[in-house]
Every structure is written in structure tokens, then in C-alpha cells.
Amino acid sequence: MSARSALPALSVLAAVAVLAGCTSTASGGNKSSGPDLVSAGKLTTCTHLPYAPFQVKKDGAIVGFDVDLVDLVAKDMGVRQEIVNTPFEGIETGQDFTIRKCDLAAAGMTITPAREKVMDFSDPYFNATQALLTKKGKPFKKVEDLKGKKLGYQKATTGGIYAKAHGKGVELVEFEDLGLLLTAVKSGQVDAGINDNGVLFDYVKKNPDTAVTAEFNTGEHYGIGVRTGNDALRKKINAVLKKAKSDGRYDRIYKKWFGTTPQTTGRS
């Protein structure tokens, strides 16, 4: 956008061309009209699949709890949501915002001090904690019980941080995504897997030969990430989430994906 400073020296025709080339960086081509967007008419969301029930591909479409919430934001802004599936490491390090890959990140992502240094977060929209997934009938109740055995975790996640802090004598195995981690537990490649409780309980419902044997009180909160300084978009997300919680839409979306409401579940 540095070309804008040279506009007085350009011909009227050239100035029009420069301005036309800038319209894709803001909603409607006018930054003052609303949040700064990567592409006009789209709210581009970075996520990392699969992470059911927050985001997962089903029948050719990406659906989930996070998807429905961001759709509320997009509708309020008069644009459509476009989802980009990208490695989680690029999201949580803030790199995807730096290269303008997306406007926001909705990826079942815990707000942490390290992540707050590389992006800004919305208000918390979901409470989570770490949990342990095993084959059904296994006795593991805490990470320390796995000494001499294999514990899987997903790369660049708070589950990995917890496993490394408590896994002395445990063989830790890193996986690129949640799908690979879950498959490793189910197939016996690892003795247990650690991840957020919401996704593990969802998996167990569909895979009764597995079980969540423990939850750890890590007190985590999910937030929607935006590029540092994009306060207009962050405030818009907060306003939409606040309204959705007050008018019942949040609870309806929550029940759709978790089978209960936040007030009646002990696992949110």
C-alpha cells in the first residue's frame, strides 16, 4: 500500500488503477467502512483439519462448532466465510496472519501467553481442559502412569506442553494432526493420546472401543485469533458472540455439536 503515498504525482488514470488494485484488502474496498479483510466479500478462516466437532470435512463440506460460530460473524458483516485448511503450527505461531493467508483463525485454539504475543484473541468462547484417550479397559489415569509406555500428542498444542511437563520416563510420540493421533491410539501404535477433552469425548461416542480415562484441570479457554492490531475485526467477533450468547443462538449451536448445553455439561 506504500504506492498510495505517491498518488499526488500520478495521473488521474494511474491513481484509479492503484486504488482498484487495493480493494481486495478491505471489505468493500474501504478500510474505514469496517474490519480489514484479506479479500473483499469474504471472511477467510484458517483452521486445521480434522478437529471434530469444531471443524471437520463431511460430505465435501467443512462443518463444525467453530464453523457455525464464524458463520454468524460473516452473516453480520454481510460476507461469506471461506475456510483454508492449513498446518496448525502456521496458525499458532501467527505466521498465517503475517503472510495474509486469512482474516481469523478458528481452530479449537487455546488462548496462551505465547500465542497472545503473535496474534490478538477474541473473548473466550469455549472452556476446555486436557484429557487422556486410551483403548477401553486400560488403567491409565494420569500421564505418570504411562512411564515406559508411549503417549501420543498433537504437534504445537497445549496437550504436547502438558505431556512434556508431566511425562518423565514416558516415550512421547508427536503427530502432525488429531486424526493421526486418534488412529494411533485406536490401532495400538501408542498406549494413550492426550488432547482437548471436547474432541476426545466426541471421538469416544463414535468409537466405543476407546475411552477417556482422565481429565486434567488445565483451565483452558478457546479464542478466535486475528492479526495483531486488527481491533475492528476482533471487536466485531466479540459483539456477535455476545449477542449470540444472549439470544440463544450460541446454546443452539452448542447443543447441535455436543448434544447438551453449556449450562448442563461438565466437559465444556
Side-chain angles (χ1 to χ4, degrees), residues 35 44-45 47 59 86 102 172 180 219 224 233 236 240 245 268:
T44 308
T45 300
T47 196
D59 299 326
T86 185
C102 50
L172 300 179
L180 294 173
I224 295 173
L233 180 55
K236 172 62 70 174
V240 172
K245 287 182 177 182
S268 68

Side-chain angles (χ1 to χ4, degrees), residues 6 47 77 87 128 167 260:
T47 196
M77 294 173 62
T260 185

